[in-house]
Amino acid sequence: MPSVLPQRPVTSHYIHAPPTREQLDYAALPVIDLAKAGTVEGRAALALQTRDAMTTHGFFYVVNHGYTLDQTERIFDIADIPFARVGDEEKKLYEGQVKVTGSYQGYKPKRYWHIDGGVQDQLEMYSINRDVSKRAHPEVLRPFLPEIEEFAKHSHFNVLHPILKLLALGLELPEDTFVNIHGYSSVGETYARFMKYHPRSEDEEVKTKSVWLKGHTDFGTITILYSQPVAGLQILSRDGQWKWVKHVPNALVINTGDAMEFLSGGFYRATIHRVVQPPPDQRSCMRLGAFYFGMCDDNVKLVPFAQSPVLQSVGINKRYDDVDAPTMEQWRKGRTSAYGQSELKVASSTTHVEEEYINGVIVKHYS
C-alpha cells in the first residue's frame, strides 16, 4: 500500500505586498544556476562565474536551488508565526540573551539596536539553530519544527555546500575545502532566521535619514536570503554608490561575510549592505524575511588558505597576523554582542563611516 504522508500543521498563508512599481536604481547582479552544478564541467564553469560575481559585486542570485515556489511560500507562512501568533509576554520568555551569550538564538525584540539620532530599530527577529532542539520554542511554533529543520537541511546541503564548492574552485583549491569546515553536526552557530520589519514614524525616518539598518558586513561566511518583494535591501557598489537589490521570485540572494573574507585572504570581500525605508508604494508594508546564515565550525581559526594558487598569484590581504586570528566562535560572539549596543566612533576619513574594534579588528558601519 502507498505510504500516507503526514498532514502539515495549519497556519495562515502569508501574503506579501505586491512588488514595487517605482523605478529604482537596481544593482545588476549575476544569476548562478545551480542546476548546472551537477557535473565537474558545470561546476568549473559556475566557479568562474561565481568568482567574478563575488569579486565584482559581492552579491549574486541563485536559481534552481531545489525549492519550488510553493515550498518557498510555505517557509514564509512559517516565518510569520513567531511574530503574528505569539504574544508579547510569551516572546519575552524566549528572548535571546544576545549581549551575554554572543548568540542570536531566540527572539531579538524591537528597539534593541541603536540606529541613529536616538532612534532604535523596529525589527523583530527569531533565530533557530539548525539543530532545532538546542533550545525551547514558543508553543505555537513547535508543530512546525520538523519543517524548519528540513528548511535548514535544504539550505545547508543544497545551497550552502554547493556555493562553498564553487568558491573553493574559484581559488583553485580542492572543491570540498570550505565544505569540510561547515559540518552540519559540528559545534557552531549556523542558523535559520526569520525577520519582520515594522514601519516607522515619519519623525524616526527623518532622524535616521530613512536608514533602517546601517551599512554593515555579516560576520559569517555565506548569507542566504530567500527573495521577497518588499524593497529595502541595498548594497554598496564598488564605485561607492548604494544600489537596490531587486526581488526575483523564488530566487535566493547570496553574499559573503567577514569569515569568508578572512579565509580567502581578502579575495572574497565581505559585502557592505544596508536596509532602508521601502519606496512610496510599499511604505506602509511589513517586510518579512527568511534567511540561512552560514558560519564555519566554531573551532576553525580564521586564517587564509594560503596554499591557494590564486592567492599566491594576487597576494593575500590580511586584517591581522595569523597568530592573532580569532576562531569562528570568538569572532561571532564578539560581533553579535557588540552590534547595535557599542559606542561607535566617527572615522577620521569621512562622517559617513563609524568604527569599532572587535577582537583587535576594525569593524565599520556605514550611513
Side-chain angles (χ1 to χ4, degrees):
M1 294 180 63
S3 60
V4 179
L5 296 176
Q7 188 172 3
R8 297 189 308 185
V10 176
T11 191
S12 300
H13 178 53
Y14 186 82
I15 300 176
H16 293 281
T20 181
R21 294 183 178 180
E22 300 289 331
Q23 297 300 310
L24 304 178
D25 187 10
Y26 289 113
L29 301 184
V31 178
I32 303 298
D33 185 353
L34 282 188
K36 299 177 180 178
T39 65
V40 172
E41 296 78 13
R43 287 194 295 280
L46 284 180
L48 295 177
Q49 187 182 0
T50 303
R51 182 171 69 184
D52 180 67
M54 281 288 93
T55 54
T56 303
H57 301 278
F59 266 73
F60 59 85
Y61 296 108
V62 160
V63 297
N64 291 322
H65 47 81
Y67 256 20
T68 64
L69 182 58
D70 285 345
Q71 287 174 302
T72 300
E73 289 181 349
R74 174 67 174 179
I75 286 302
F76 280 101
D77 294 346
I78 295 171
D80 195 42
I81 293 172
F83 313 117
R85 294 182 58 188
V86 181
D88 290 342
E89 290 304 312
E90 189 177 6
K91 286 177 182 177
K92 290 178 182 178
L93 298 176
Y94 297 96
E95 228 172 78
Q97 300 301 310
V98 179
K99 199 165 185 177
V100 175
T101 64
S103 169
Y104 278 121
Q105 288 188 56
Y107 281 102
K108 183 215 75 70
K110 290 185 290 185
R111 300 190 175 277
Y112 177 76
W113 292 329
H114 174 254
I115 303 301
D116 208 356
V119 176
Q120 294 173 297
D121 71 278
Q122 284 289 352
L123 165 62
E124 287 185 284
M125 299 191 328
Y126 192 75
S127 301
I128 308 173
N129 190 283
R130 61 194 184 278
D131 179 355
V132 298
S133 66
K134 280 281 187 183
R135 58 176 290 156
H137 304 279
E139 184 175 0
V140 71
L141 192 62
R142 294 170 197 167
F144 299 88
L145 290 177
E147 290 180 84
I148 294 173
E149 183 176 38
E150 189 279 330
F151 169 70
K153 286 182 176 178
H154 168 75
S155 299
H156 200 96
F157 293 112
N158 299 334
V159 182
L160 176 63
H161 277 187
I163 291 171
L164 291 172
K165 289 183 177 183
L166 298 179
L167 293 177
L169 290 172
L171 290 174
E172 298 178 17
L173 292 167
E175 67 175 23
D176 285 335
T177 299
F178 294 134
V179 168
N180 290 338
I181 57 173
H182 287 76
Y184 190 81
S185 300
S186 302
V187 176
E189 190 75 1
T190 294
Y191 54 82
R193 175 187 288 174
F194 305 137
M195 302 172 63
K196 195 169 190 178
Y197 286 88
H198 297 256
R200 301 190 310 191
S201 69
E202 186 58 34
D203 180 60
E204 289 176 320
E205 297 295 356
V206 171
K207 289 179 178 178
T208 61
K209 299 180 178 63
S210 298
V211 173
W212 283 13
L213 203 59
K214 284 186 178 181
H216 64 283
T217 58
D218 294 337
F219 54 81
T221 50
I222 298 295
T223 299
I224 301 167
L225 161 65
Y226 284 69
S227 187
Q228 56 76 43
V230 179
L233 178 61
Q234 294 182 334
I235 65 172
L236 188 61
S237 63
R238 298 295 191 239
D239 63 1
Q241 301 298 311
W242 289 106
K243 302 282 188 179
W244 295 79
V245 175
K246 189 174 185 177
H247 169 56
V248 176
N250 204 35
L252 308 178
V253 182
I254 308 296
N255 69 274
T256 47
D258 296 338
M260 182 55 71
E261 178 175 325
F262 300 156
L263 293 169
S264 69
F267 189 75
Y268 298 129
R269 285 185 290 168
T271 314
I272 301 162
H273 55 287
R274 69 179 184 179
V275 179
V276 299
Q277 184 185 33
D281 60 350
Q282 295 181 324
R283 196 140 289 177
S284 62
C285 301
M286 296 287 189
R287 188 171 184 271
L288 183 66
F291 299 77
Y292 193 70
F293 285 87
M295 281 169 260
C296 48
D297 306 339
D298 263 0
N299 63 356
V300 172
K301 200 166 185 179
L302 299 176
V303 296
F305 282 88
Q307 68 270 35
S308 160
V310 172
L311 296 188
Q312 291 174 10
S313 173
V314 303
I316 294 176
N317 182 13
K318 297 182 180 181
R319 289 168 66 182
Y320 45 70
D321 293 332
D322 287 358
V323 68
D324 298 322
T327 63
M328 184 71 252
E329 180 182 22
Q330 291 169 329
W331 186 250
R332 69 168 174 81
K333 284 185 174 181
R335 283 290 314 267
T336 301
S337 298
Y339 189 81
Q341 296 287 298
S342 58
E343 291 290 332
L344 303 178
K345 295 183 179 181
V346 176
S348 58
S349 58
T350 172
T351 58
H352 299 293
V353 180
E354 296 170 301
E355 299 176 341
E356 62 180 332
Y357 278 87
I358 305 291
N359 294 104
V361 181
I362 294 178
V363 175
K364 296 183 178 183
H365 303 263
Y366 300 78
S367 298

